[in-house]
Amino acid sequence: MSSRNPFRIRSFQRTIGDDQFAKLFAPSALDVLDGDSDIWQSLQYLRSAPGGGKTSLLRLMTPGPLRKVAQLSSREQNFKDIGVKLQGIGAIKDGAPAVLGVMLSFSNDYRDLSSLDRRSLQVFRALFSARVVLAAVRAVLELAERSFPEDLERVTAKWVPVDGATIPADGGGVELRDWAAGIEDSAYDVLDSMSGDEAEGLKAITGFDGLNWLATARFAVDDRPVGIQTVLLLDEVQELTSEQRASLVEAMTALRKPLGIWVAERLQALQADDLLAAGVKQ
């Protein structure tokens, strides 16, 4: 068995290339996913203490590392074992990525939204949706080995909007980028003014539109469909306030569409009801 520790790369994983990252990742770390055939179309939680390898596992499922492993596993020994593991769980098929991993990492700036009181959750949902759209466009370009933002015009995304949603129904990459940027600008305008009255772009957003969009959007690059399963990879969820986390968990649990969602969070995010068995508190 390999003696490599997949989690020792945590401190510099964002600064190394995809090929080096995949080479250092120990295949045995994927054993936690074996035997679960529904990991790509259901809600999965990855929980551990800091340094447990959650971020590394999520990054491995993004287009860059998956593409490198798919390309090199058949001819380089260093990638063979990880390639076999990824094929086994359905992340790679026929020498190419079989999933579109869209990764979004939360930071403590989301907590600043709690100062908005009555409109804090609405602004949070809008900002979340905008960043999901941006992350998805980036992932599609990365999968196609194109550049962001230079190749935005090559991307399209079509969906049937849910009631009240403002994400473009048939949007190109530039239009989607501009929509997301407008939402972010509105959110920061609200924060700067400490009031919700100026947020014209946010008024129509009352739910997690980004979840519904990502679950049903049909992506294409240069008019060629991206016909693989999408999975949303959410990292550092413990950075959200308890109210934000509860709202997001409720939306993800209620989503009845074929979207895989992986949630990585530290154990500190859990409440007593999540950690203790029924009857223990009494």
Side-chain angles (χ1 to χ4, degrees):
M1 181 179 294
S2 172
S3 61
R4 285 178 291 159
N5 179 353
F7 308 139
R8 72 182 179 184
I9 64 177
R10 179 174 180 268
S11 62
F12 62 94
Q13 62 181 306
R14 291 186 175 87
T15 64
I16 62 175
D18 291 331
D19 53 349
Q20 186 71 3
F21 172 82
K23 184 185 297 184
L24 291 173
F25 196 99
S28 59
L30 295 173
D31 290 344
V32 296
L33 303 175
D34 285 353
D36 190 345
S37 60
D38 200 30
I39 59 175
W40 306 118
Q41 293 192 2
S42 63
L43 178 59
Q44 307 286 324
Y45 286 95
L46 306 172
R47 290 164 172 159
S48 73
K54 303 177 293 298
T55 301
S56 297
L57 183 56
L58 294 189
R59 179 181 171 182
L60 186 66
M61 301 303 160
T62 59
L66 284 183
R67 190 178 64 248
K68 288 295 183 181
V69 174
Q71 292 172 345
L72 299 174
S73 59
S74 62
R75 59 179 186 267
E76 291 194 23
Q77 186 62 37
N78 287 333
F79 292 91
K80 184 175 181 180
D81 291 341
I82 189 70
V84 169
K85 285 286 188 178
L86 288 172
Q87 289 182 58
I89 64 173
I92 289 176
K93 184 178 180 181
D94 299 328
V99 294
L100 175 66
V102 177
M103 188 168 176
L104 180 63
S105 183
F106 293 105
S107 57
N108 57 17
D109 63 337
Y110 285 89
R111 290 179 172 269
D112 295 338
L113 301 177
S114 61
S115 63
L116 301 175
D117 298 325
R118 63 184 177 85
R119 299 204 61 195
S120 62
L121 284 181
Q122 182 182 3
V123 178
F124 165 64
R125 293 170 186 141
L127 191 58
F128 170 85
S129 294
R131 291 179 175 175
V132 165
V133 169
L134 278 179
V137 171
R138 285 179 179 271
V140 170
L141 285 172
E142 186 178 16
L143 182 71
E145 300 186 69
R146 303 295 185 182
S147 299
F148 181 96
E150 292 80 6
D151 294 318
L152 277 171
E153 72 280 358
R154 297 175 178 268
V155 179
T156 57
K158 298 180 181 180
W159 78 307
V160 179
V162 296
D163 290 343
T166 62
I167 303 175
D170 186 359
V174 174
E175 184 180 5
L176 291 168
R177 189 269 313 274
D178 291 346
W179 175 87
I183 296 298
E184 287 212 350
D185 288 345
S186 294
Y188 289 120
D189 285 345
V190 172
L191 276 175
D192 290 342
S193 66
M194 298 300 290
S195 165
D197 297 336
E198 294 81 1
E200 292 296 331
L202 304 181
K203 288 182 178 178
I205 299 181
T206 57
F208 288 94
D209 296 347
L211 286 178
N212 288 290
W213 175 82
L214 190 62
T216 59
R218 301 187 306 278
F219 298 104
V221 178
D222 294 331
D223 295 325
R224 289 181 294 184
V226 179
I228 58 178
Q229 174 66 41
T230 301
V231 56
L232 178 60
L233 310 167
L234 300 178
D235 195 24
E236 305 286 4
V237 177
Q238 77 280 346
E239 296 294 343
L240 300 178
T241 66
S242 58
E243 188 179 30
Q244 289 169 346
R245 181 182 177 277
S247 179
L248 178 58
V249 168
E250 181 181 7
M252 294 187 300
T253 303
L255 189 67
R256 295 291 184 265
K257 294 174 181 175
L259 175 66
I261 306 176
W262 292 16
V263 176
E265 60 185 0
R266 297 179 185 177
L267 293 173
Q268 71 190 56
L270 303 184
Q271 304 298 312
D273 289 340
D274 299 314
L275 291 169
L276 302 178
V280 170
K281 286 200 298 182
Q282 289 79 357

